[in-house]
Amino acid sequence: MSIPTTADYARSLDAQDPLAALRAHFVHADPELIYLDGNSLGRLPLAATAQAATLVHEQWGNRLIRGWNEGWFEAPERVGAKIARLIGADPDEVIVADSTSVNLFKLTVAALRNRAERSRILSDNLNFPSDMYVLQGVIDLLGNRHRLELLESSDAIHGPAEAITARLDEDVALLTLSHTVFKSGYVYDMAALNAAAHQAGALTLWDLSHSVGSVPLDLRASGADLAVGCCYKYLNGGPGAPAFLYVRRGLQEALINPIAGWMGQRDLFGFDLQYRPAPGIRRFLSGTPSVVSLSLIEPGVDLLLAAGMERLRAKSVQQSEYLIALWEQLLAPLGFTLNSPRDPAQRGSHVSLGHQFGLGIDLALIREFKVLPDFRPPDNLRLGIAPIYNSFGEIHQAVTALQRIVAEERYAPYMHEAPVVT
Ligand SMILES: *Cc1c(COP(=O)(O)O)cnc(C)c1O
């Protein structure tokens, strides 16, 4: 695919972009910064700054304990119901709580207890490390009666979907995967794997951290059992924002939250000393919700809902295709490899480029060109595209900066620095 590599062409794409105005709903403290890390920490929505002031000054400052009866108790469900609309779930199937890792723990334990006669957990070697640690910890906690089987990707880009399907049998309790893989951006066919898992009688648990707000999801139609996801990436919920969890309605009464706590108790203020789980999704709460950061998730989700996931996805695909076309013409000749799927149907909203001098290139990009991507060892530059605020012009500038850094060997002074978190 040959396209014009000029800045003028990027400007013309921006001029035709029906979603271009959404960018103004976010804070751009440094107007020159090209931010391509929305897949790690999304930008700050303007409305969140107002919401923060209301929460802190009016609600906490003025209403004090009365705030609990003026919306704080319901916040996990209220925000969960909005996220449900983004992921094709019903409002009473999603709740906001804890971190993604903790939610994964809760739902993994619940799933394994529900399939007590089975002993295997299937996943892949592209999954997020924290997810691996949680699974290993759960296996240890439950007395090492389970085995974690990781199917291997053949190219470190595409998920081993066929190998997974082939390993599903009557001994598999749980299939758990990142729906969009954090390094390569590969996206699994959720419906196909749910169907295969169910055929074998296994439950499915999806980590949607890199999918929610970036690719359209339909948990209901795809038959997903369980899911968790992160609110500080494409949802723009703020650093350390609480995560969400999804439990298919038909499963809710059958599962037990291993972190039983008073927020998940049937009669919250009965102060009964015997735990009885609340009906429905609330039983997956444990302790008191983080009201302030939880409420700050809402403005970002509102923006995504107003824009519509189908339209955002269309722009995201157009932008990643544009980036890859530029890579093909300008960067591949300089030794950059494409470490993401070539087929947009199998790709989320970030594009990974590899280069033998990856770390030095990353640091030169940040320090000399004000482009903020992120870097995942050993050689992956991840360029996160958040169509809700990124422009085609920014993508063009990032690619031409990468071209200059390698052509002019500007990575060289940085090659021996320790990796930084970006
Ligand atoms: C970002 C991310 C997480 C984050 O987990 P925390 O508990 O918030 O640290 C989990 N899983 C995946 C796949 C992620 O990309």
Side-chain angles (χ1 to χ4, degrees):
M1 171 170 46
S2 181
I3 50 124
T5 59
T6 60
D8 269 351
Y9 182 64
R11 270 191 287 275
S12 74
L13 293 174
D14 281 323
Q16 293 159 31
D17 170 13
L19 300 181
L22 289 167
R23 181 179 171 84
H25 290 278
F26 292 86
V27 172
H28 296 270
D30 175 356
E32 287 173 7
L33 180 72
I34 295 177
Y35 193 66
L36 296 176
D37 216 351
N39 56 327
S40 268
L41 177 68
R43 276 191 178 277
L44 167 62
L46 273 173
T49 62
Q51 179 103 325
T54 303
L55 258 147
V56 172
H57 295 300
E58 287 176 29
Q59 296 190 16
W60 178 15
N62 182 22
R63 300 307 296 160
L64 288 162
I65 192 79
R66 295 166 288 191
W68 284 110
N69 294 319
E70 296 168 2
W72 294 352
F73 272 125
E74 295 76 30
E77 288 145 303
R78 188 182 71 244
V79 181
K82 286 193 174 177
I83 294 171
R85 288 164 56 197
L86 287 177
I87 63 177
D90 286 334
D92 59 353
E93 292 178 314
V94 180
I95 201 156
V96 178
D98 307 310
S99 63
T100 306
S101 303
V102 170
N103 288 333
L104 189 78
F105 171 86
K106 293 189 294 192
L107 295 189
T108 299
V109 172
L112 295 181
R113 291 173 78 180
N114 184 262
R115 290 288 189 276
E117 69 289 357
R118 295 169 175 236
S119 75
R120 270 161 48 236
I121 304 170
L122 291 194
S123 189
D124 68 11
N125 69 337
L126 304 179
N127 207 343
F128 192 62
S130 192
D131 295 37
M132 292 294 108
Y133 309 153
V134 167
L135 296 175
Q136 291 160 14
V138 167
I139 290 172
D140 192 47
L141 175 76
L142 298 181
N144 289 300
R145 289 185 290 109
H146 298 87
R147 194 156 58 81
L148 175 59
E149 198 176 325
L150 298 184
L151 282 306
E152 299 212 347
S153 164
S154 56
D155 58 2
I157 295 176
H158 297 83
E162 282 174 24
I164 291 169
T165 306
R167 292 297 298 166
L168 282 162
D169 59 33
E170 70 291 341
D171 187 40
V172 175
L174 180 67
L175 167 63
T176 181
L177 294 164
S178 288
H179 177 243
T180 301
V181 166
F182 82 105
K183 264 193 194 170
S184 71
Y186 172 81
V187 180
Y188 276 104
D189 180 343
M190 187 187 282
L193 283 166
N194 284 334
H198 292 159
Q199 184 104 39
L203 292 170
T204 56
L205 168 48
W206 295 94
D207 187 331
L208 306 179
S209 293
H210 274 86
S211 297
V212 64
S214 94
V215 297
L217 291 157
D218 195 341
L219 264 55
R220 191 186 306 111
S222 83
D225 294 314
L226 307 163
V228 297
C230 180
C231 295
Y232 50 79
K233 293 171 178 161
Y234 293 102
L235 294 192
N236 307 305
F244 66 90
L245 64 82
Y246 154 90
V247 180
R248 179 164 60 74
R249 191 186 296 103
L251 261 181
Q252 289 174 2
E253 305 299 316
L255 297 188
I256 299 163
N257 178 358
I259 311 182
W262 73 308
M263 286 292 143
Q265 163 74 350
R266 182 170 293 265
D267 177 10
L268 195 57
F269 287 102
F271 294 111
D272 192 345
L273 294 187
Q274 180 60 45
Y275 177 73
R276 284 183 310 138
I281 195 75
R282 262 196 94 90
R283 70 176 50 199
F284 297 97
L285 293 180
S286 297
T288 303
S290 313
V291 174
V292 175
S293 44
L294 198 161
S295 304
L296 296 186
I297 297 168
E298 215 165 356
V301 173
D302 286 341
L303 284 171
L304 290 163
L305 286 171
M309 279 315 302
E310 296 298 334
R311 294 203 303 161
L312 287 164
R313 172 62 175 169
K315 179 175 171 186
S316 159
V317 169
Q318 195 194 355
Q319 289 188 306
S320 62
E321 288 287 284
Y322 173 61
L323 171 49
I324 289 171
L326 291 178
W327 159 77
E328 208 156 34
Q329 292 175 74
L330 304 179
L331 301 180
L334 294 170
F336 284 93
T337 55
L338 178 65
N339 292 353
S340 289
R342 190 67 188 80
D343 174 4
Q346 293 190 340
R347 193 173 65 229
S349 204
H350 71 266
V351 173
S352 281
L353 298 179
H355 195 283
Q356 60 170 325
F357 304 131
L359 177 59
I361 294 169
D362 177 57
L363 293 175
L365 206 51
I366 295 168
R367 309 236 179 110
E368 299 183 20
F369 291 90
K370 278 208 175 184
V371 178
L372 216 54
D374 74 16
F375 181 75
R376 289 293 176 269
D379 67 345
N380 259 290
L381 283 156
R382 285 195 315 186
L383 304 174
I385 295 170
I388 199 158
Y389 53 71
N390 281 131
S391 66
F392 290 86
E394 288 179 310
I395 293 170
H396 182 265
Q397 282 189 63
V399 169
T400 49
L402 287 169
Q403 186 189 20
R404 280 186 61 189
I405 289 166
V406 174
E408 299 168 14
E409 295 187 20
R410 293 167 78 142
Y411 53 81
Y414 304 106
M415 281 311 292
H416 302 291
E417 288 196 26
V420 286
V421 175
T422 66

